[in-house]
Amino acid sequence: MDVRELASDVSEASAAISAKLRRVVVARYGGPEELQVVEERRPEPKPGEVGIRVLAAGVSLPDVMMREGVHPETPPLPFTPGWDLVGVVYRLGDGVSGVEPGQTVAALPIHGAYAAYVCLPQGKLVSVPPGLDPAEAVSLVLNYITAYQMLHRSARVRPGQRVLVHGAAGGVGSALLQLGRLVPLEMYGTCSARGTAAVSDLGATPIDYRQRDFVEEIQRLTKGGVDVVFDGIGGKHIWRSRRALRRGGTVVAYGLTGSLQGGRLASGGSGGRQRYRRLAIFGVYIAGGWLLPGRRHVVPYSIQWLERVRPAWFHEDLTMLFDLLRQQRIKPLIAARFPLSEARQAQELLGKGGVVGKIVLVRDP
Ligand SMILES: NC(=O)c1ccc[n+]([C@@H]2O[C@H](COP(=O)([O-])OP(=O)(O)OC[C@H]3O[C@@H](n4cnc5c(N)ncnc54)[C@H](OP(=O)(O)O)[C@@H]3O)[C@@H](O)[C@H]2O)c1
């Protein structure tokens, strides 16, 4: 152990003793009141793992859906939410090399990031260049990867194509617009009234979905429809999105925002782990897209499945996105920063809607 490592270990150890180490736990599926803060000792990495002091964890609708028990990735109870994190390595488990204590890393653990400290397998980590704001960096891990891979790996967009982005002021939506502008694409974005200025600033024509019918509006504005629709709303909405396509166009279906209302299940039911109930409808629309005339297809996108099947893409794409952030070619919109112990308030704010950009949990003061 060199002097730098020893010094970092000593300061970490004293911080760990004096600070209360917090973690957020869901012990029952349900509303934001189910997010409980527990205090515990710092975890120690097992062989092959790396201990990380979390600097920033993203708050996203998939976290809310897991809390409600309806996301396909919902773990059994009790669990700690949090898809994405950026943190600093504090300790290496046996057999780990090529990572240094003090190094900043990012990861997509899918759950577990709402914690002061986490331990993750080394293969899950992507190095973060020095000097980036952890809140901005963490926005790339779930939202921008999702946006980038949908644009370039699912839809394979080409310069000048027309796209419609639903929820364009939200976390993934604003990422789609920033990355779409770099292509460049002709962009339209649905949002509520509070998001229209942000959507215009990001280079898209806003469509207030609460005031106007987006299918009619797209047909009026484009005289023929768009090449691609990015639909994170899900359910029957996918079918309406298909009607906004030109012949030969594609809907990329990737979310179930429409199954929530005010941050709770729109159906009113809750309390169980129902991971697959809402997925069947995707199959119906995908099959329908191929069977019906008009060559308007629906393709699904899932970051977690692509990461499992093609882990190298995740590393490659995230490293490239960090580079774009370092060069200031993208600038994630940070809607709010909450201390970790206020995870409940952060999810309540996201659930209320009208949030522009990404909500991030940062370390407790
Ligand atoms: N498949 C994947 O790999 C993947 C990865 C990440 C996220 N997701 C999914 O992506 C979706 C968005 O996640 P997020 O974290 O970006 O959420 P978010 O930040 O809350 O953004 C969602 C946005 O949708 C808007 N919205 C709600 N209902 C709408 C409607 N009917 N029409 C148009 N816009 C509407 C909301 O605006 P207002 O509140 O102003 O109405 C909000 O701006 C979620 O369903 C999530 O599960 C999927």
Side-chain angles (χ1 to χ4, degrees):
M1 184 182 282
D2 67 14
V3 175
R4 203 164 61 94
E5 204 173 322
L6 183 65
S8 141
D9 242 40
V10 169
S11 77
E12 274 297 331
S14 53
I17 292 162
S18 58
K20 290 172 181 167
L21 305 185
R22 295 192 169 129
R23 185 161 68 91
V24 177
V25 173
V26 173
R28 260 190 337 191
Y29 302 116
E33 68 285 356
E34 301 301 343
L35 295 167
Q36 305 295 333
V37 179
V38 297
E39 289 178 1
E40 59 186 12
R41 290 166 66 97
R42 189 175 71 173
E44 290 304 315
K46 297 191 186 82
E49 285 187 344
V50 174
I52 301 157
R53 183 164 59 93
V54 179
L55 299 177
V59 177
S60 61
L61 277 190
D63 295 334
V64 173
M65 288 174 187
M66 275 191 182
R67 191 199 68 213
E68 293 282 345
V70 296
H71 195 281
E73 298 292 327
T74 305
L77 297 170
F79 74 93
T80 293
W83 275 67
D84 43 351
L85 66 88
V86 162
V88 174
V89 173
Y90 69 85
R91 193 182 291 283
L92 307 181
D94 288 344
V96 173
S97 59
V99 185
E100 295 286 323
Q103 190 179 334
T104 306
V105 292
L108 183 83
I110 295 183
H111 58 89
Y114 287 18
Y117 290 83
V118 297
C119 294
L120 292 172
Q122 180 186 5
K124 290 275 174 198
L125 309 181
V126 178
S127 186
V128 179
L132 297 183
D133 170 12
E136 290 187 359
V138 84
S139 302
L140 307 192
V141 183
L142 176 62
N143 292 355
Y144 278 69
I145 285 269
T146 298
Y148 179 84
Q149 294 190 331
M150 289 197 295
L151 284 164
H152 295 286
R153 300 205 183 271
S154 303
R156 299 186 182 185
V157 291
R158 295 185 304 280
Q161 283 192 314
R162 284 183 184 143
V163 302
L164 169 63
V165 173
H166 288 300
V172 177
S174 59
L176 277 163
L177 295 190
Q178 285 201 3
L179 294 170
R181 199 179 210 175
L182 297 180
V183 176
L185 300 170
E186 182 181 320
M187 302 186 293
Y188 301 84
T190 60
C191 54
S192 56
R194 271 177 288 184
T196 53
V199 169
S200 294
D201 287 350
L202 292 170
T205 303
I207 299 172
D208 181 346
Y209 71 92
R210 297 191 187 178
Q211 303 297 327
R212 293 181 184 280
D213 179 300
F214 76 85
V215 178
E216 282 171 17
E217 201 58 7
I218 283 291
Q219 296 301 348
R220 184 182 72 80
L221 291 165
T222 65
K223 313 265 181 294
V226 295
D227 297 284
V228 188
V229 182
F230 296 97
D231 189 320
I233 312 300
K236 288 182 194 149
H237 199 270
I238 297 174
W239 218 231
R240 303 208 61 242
S241 290
R242 190 175 174 274
R243 290 179 49 210
L245 290 176
R246 65 158 180 76
R247 197 178 156 78
T250 305
V251 176
V252 183
Y254 70 99
L256 290 164
T257 302
S259 64
L260 297 177
Q261 204 166 38
R264 301 301 318 272
L265 283 182
S267 61
S270 181
R273 189 169 174 228
Q274 316 156 8
R275 294 195 297 157
Y276 303 113
R277 194 172 285 182
R278 286 163 184 79
L279 289 188
I281 197 143
F282 281 91
V284 172
Y285 290 134
I286 291 162
W290 286 95
L291 295 172
L292 292 173
R295 292 181 46 241
R296 296 179 177 91
H297 301 315
V298 178
V299 297
Y301 170 82
S302 155
I303 189 172
Q304 64 271 19
W305 281 103
L306 202 56
E307 202 240 344
R308 282 170 194 142
V309 179
R310 300 277 193 150
W313 281 1
F314 181 80
H315 277 68
E316 196 183 301
D317 296 345
L318 188 52
T319 304
M320 183 274 307
L321 288 167
F322 282 141
D323 231 38
L324 288 181
L325 179 59
R326 209 172 41 79
Q327 296 165 25
Q328 300 182 353
R329 295 182 65 203
I330 52 176
K331 176 88 180 152
L333 305 180
I334 306 298
R337 297 170 200 239
F338 284 86
L340 173 63
S341 52
E342 291 179 20
R344 173 181 174 168
Q345 288 85 335
Q347 285 203 359
E348 279 170 347
L349 177 64
L350 187 68
K352 269 189 210 148
V355 171
V356 175
K358 175 96 173 170
I359 299 176
V360 180
L361 296 178
V362 292
R363 290 184 73 72
D364 279 309

